């Protein structure tokens, strides 16, 4: 069963076409990665899925068409986006940022979810009343992920979660994301420049070049692909 299915996705900015007909999927409970060089169209793909830019083609989440819908509807349908730059409100506290994460929830039962987030990210509990701007880069990434999870999504979109972070903290964050995937069954679509990291985390992978998918398959298979190894893995 597919959680996300994208068929013939085209999108761009004004007259400029960036995505030229992408087909890809995230399995139910799966982790998919989109790899590619700077400017290949990875960030644009996530924006297109979220309804932030106009699209052509079909995007289906758990059997429900979401292309052409407003971002807020797409969020309600079950997609949460952790954008590049993380989208944290620096002048607000950790608590306020987390409350904003739950803004579409009609129930008032967010406290147990906060506790669940503290289970994943104990540092957020320690920093709960602190301004987000005072957090380290890694803690800000944790806050951004926690905020997205408070929407109770079916699918989490992550744009370069490793960007600008030290290797140790990157490993910690990816280990937590693995738990989130396996314990909560949240599907993940992650865009990464760090191909090694992404291929070891994902079960399915796609390589993007100038808005087209040029390789697709199980992540371990792409990790053995000669061209990918030379261009992206450095061996
Ligand atoms: P990066 O790792 O640099 O973010 P990427 O694969 O995510 O790379 P995109 O950010 O999706 O690439 O960019 C794809 C193309 O779209 C690039 O040529 C870029 O210049 C262009 N582009 C991105 N954002 C805009 C925008 N807001 N307006 C116009 N063109 C844009």
């Amino acid at each position: 069963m597919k959680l996300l299915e994208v068929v013939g996705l085209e999108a761009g900015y004004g007259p400029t076409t960036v995505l030229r007909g992408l087909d890809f999927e995230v399995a139910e409970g799966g982790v998919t990665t989109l790899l590619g060089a700077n400017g290949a169209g990875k960030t644009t793909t996530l924006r297109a899925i979220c309804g932030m830019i106009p699209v052509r083609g079909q995007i289906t989440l758990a059997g429900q068409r979401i292309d052409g819908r407003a971002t807020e509807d797409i969020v309600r349908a079950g997609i949460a986006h952790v954008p590049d730059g993380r989208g944290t409100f620096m002048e607000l506290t950790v608590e306020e940022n987390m409350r904003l994460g739950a803004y579409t929830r009609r129930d008032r039962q967010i406290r147990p979810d906060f506790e669940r987030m503290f289970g994943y990210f104990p540092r957020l509990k320690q920093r709960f009343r602190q301004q987000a701007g005072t957090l380290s880069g890694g803690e800000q990434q944790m806050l951004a992920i926690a905020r997205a999870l408070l929407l109770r999504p079916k699918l989490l979109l992550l744009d370069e979660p490793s960007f600008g972070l030290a290797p140790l903290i990157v490993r910690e964050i990816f280990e937590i994301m693995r738990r989130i995937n396996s314990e909560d069954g949240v599907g993940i679509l992650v865009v990464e420049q760090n191909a090694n990291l992404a291929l070891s985390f994902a079960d399915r992978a796609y390589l993007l070049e100038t808005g087209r998918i040029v390789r697709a398959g199980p992540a371990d298979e792409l990790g053995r692909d000669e061209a990918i190894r030379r261009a992206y893995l450095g061996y």
Side-chain angles (χ1 to χ4, degrees):
M1 173 69 175
K2 289 167 188 172
L3 175 58
L4 181 79
E5 185 176 27
V6 174
V7 179
L9 177 64
E10 293 177 23
Y13 303 95
T16 314
T17 301
V18 174
L19 307 179
R20 300 160 190 280
L22 306 186
D23 299 333
F24 64 93
E25 63 185 60
V26 181
E28 188 105 20
V31 180
T32 290
T33 186
L34 299 178
L35 308 173
N38 263 328
K42 305 182 298 296
T43 295
T44 303
T45 304
L46 299 190
R47 288 190 188 138
I49 293 169
C50 294
M52 294 162 73
I53 52 174
V55 299
R56 269 179 306 198
Q58 296 178 15
I59 308 175
T60 309
L61 180 76
Q64 200 183 4
R65 284 284 290 275
I66 57 166
D67 49 275
R69 294 222 226 147
T71 299
E72 194 170 308
D73 281 352
I74 294 172
V75 170
R76 281 187 208 283
I79 294 186
H81 182 206
V82 180
D84 50 350
R86 293 158 194 156
T88 300
F89 297 95
M90 297 295 180
E91 65 288 356
L92 300 183
T93 65
V94 168
E95 175 177 8
E96 287 162 341
N97 270 282
M98 286 174 70
R99 287 194 183 284
L100 279 174
Y103 80 102
T104 58
R105 300 259 301 269
R106 293 207 173 84
D107 57 72
R108 291 278 168 270
Q109 303 302 316
I110 56 172
R111 194 69 218 183
D113 279 13
F114 276 18
E115 292 302 327
R116 215 158 44 84
M117 292 307 126
F118 297 151
Y120 288 132
F121 306 107
R123 290 161 191 236
L124 294 184
K125 186 168 191 171
Q126 291 159 18
R127 307 251 188 269
F128 200 48
R129 312 239 178 254
Q130 251 174 260
Q131 262 194 332
T134 67
L135 303 182
S136 71
E139 290 164 348
Q140 285 182 21
Q141 184 62 270
M142 292 174 186
L143 175 57
I145 295 170
R147 208 183 62 185
L149 288 173
L150 285 162
L151 292 164
R152 294 243 181 129
K154 299 184 175 88
L155 175 68
L156 191 61
L157 308 182
L158 295 161
D159 199 341
E160 299 244 9
S162 73
F163 186 80
L165 303 181
L168 211 61
I169 197 85
V170 168
R171 202 190 314 154
E172 189 183 333
I173 287 173
F174 272 77
E175 276 166 13
I176 296 166
M177 292 194 313
R178 192 178 291 290
R179 280 181 55 204
I180 290 164
N181 173 249
S182 60
E183 291 172 22
D184 288 351
V186 178
I188 296 178
L189 176 61
V190 58
V191 154
E192 259 296 337
Q193 292 246 8
N194 185 337
N196 250 323
L197 178 70
L199 288 171
S200 65
F201 176 59
D203 48 69
R204 198 164 174 78
Y206 297 85
L207 177 62
L208 233 69
E209 272 176 23
T210 54
R212 287 195 171 84
I213 287 170
V214 294
R215 287 278 197 293
D220 52 352
E221 230 168 73
L222 261 74
R224 290 194 297 270
D225 184 291
E226 193 69 26
I228 290 183
R229 279 169 46 183
R230 244 182 287 122
Y232 297 95
L233 302 178
Y235 55 88

